[in-house]
Amino acid sequence: RSSQPEIITVEGKKNVESLLYDYNEEWQKNIMQYEQIVWGYQDSSYFREYQSYAEHYWKVRAKYQRRYRILLFSDKANWEADLGRKHQVAEREFRSLPLGVEITSTLWVGGEYIIMISCRESPHFAVQIRNRWMATNLITVFRLLWHYSDPKRG
């Protein structure tokens, strides 16, 4: 695989939704080849706008016997609890960012993929980057943030 990043950008809600559905299984298979963790930040506007895809995602994910973990920061909206009750996902954990810290788009990183989705304003857009080294570096940043945000650290 070339070290040159493969980049896809899409604009508009329908195109973002198509990207999500078209790459869903590829992302999940790729995650299983590496660390088996999805890191990132989940903006609540994403769930409001793409709830039907989230439901589809959990159905596809249920096919995998060995499941990967999902470790995300978020703005702690109620959708997380609702989704957790509906799908009984033990491998998923959300943490809040410190007060005053705001991230305005969704960012996921796992395996060789980095996916960014902005849907607070129109038009919505998404960027997908496939590059193992860029993903590894971003995973390292999220791993550090996760470590220092650990509620047990006091």
Side-chain angles (χ1 to χ4, degrees):
R1 181 151 213 99
S2 167
S3 62
Q4 183 75 19
E6 297 172 17
I7 302 171
I8 296 173
T9 60
V10 296
E11 184 178 306
K13 185 171 181 173
K14 287 191 183 299
N15 292 329
V16 171
E17 203 163 60
S18 290
L19 179 82
L20 292 168
Y21 282 100
D22 292 348
Y23 282 90
N24 184 23
E25 287 216 42
E26 169 62 26
W27 293 332
Q28 295 196 45
K29 288 176 186 173
N30 188 269
I31 290 161
M32 295 303 290
Q33 294 174 15
Y34 293 96
E35 185 185 33
Q36 298 177 12
I37 299 175
V38 173
W39 299 90
Y41 177 81
Q42 184 95 2
D43 177 37
S44 61
S45 66
Y46 159 82
F47 188 73
R48 282 192 307 272
E49 296 290 335
Y50 297 97
Q51 185 170 359
S52 65
Y53 169 74
E55 298 289 337
H56 171 76
Y57 170 87
W58 289 105
K59 287 177 189 167
V60 171
R61 187 174 181 272
K63 293 192 312 190
Y64 293 92
Q65 266 187 328
R66 273 187 28 221
R67 294 194 180 147
Y68 53 88
R69 295 173 61 207
I70 299 170
L71 305 175
L72 299 174
F73 291 96
S74 78
D75 51 10
K76 281 296 186 190
N78 291 337
W79 63 265
E80 296 160 12
D82 295 342
L83 191 64
R85 279 191 296 276
K86 185 171 185 176
H87 294 283
Q88 301 298 309
V89 181
E91 303 91 357
R92 183 193 60 130
E93 184 178 343
F94 287 92
R95 291 189 185 164
S96 294
L97 292 172
L99 287 176
V101 174
E102 181 182 25
I103 298 177
T104 59
S105 61
T106 291
L107 170 65
W108 304 317
V109 59
E112 300 174 339
Y113 285 97
I114 301 166
I115 296 101
M116 296 169 277
I117 301 169
S118 179
C119 56
R120 286 193 180 190
E121 298 177 353
S122 286
H124 296 184
F125 66 88
V127 177
Q128 172 188 282
I129 301 170
R130 184 175 189 181
N131 180 275
R132 179 65 187 143
W133 306 117
M134 292 175 78
T136 297
N137 289 330
L138 194 51
I139 287 168
T140 299
V141 170
F142 275 108
R143 189 180 290 122
L144 284 168
L145 289 169
W146 199 261
H147 173 74
Y148 287 106
S149 71
D150 185 350
K152 297 175 192 149
R153 288 181 48 89

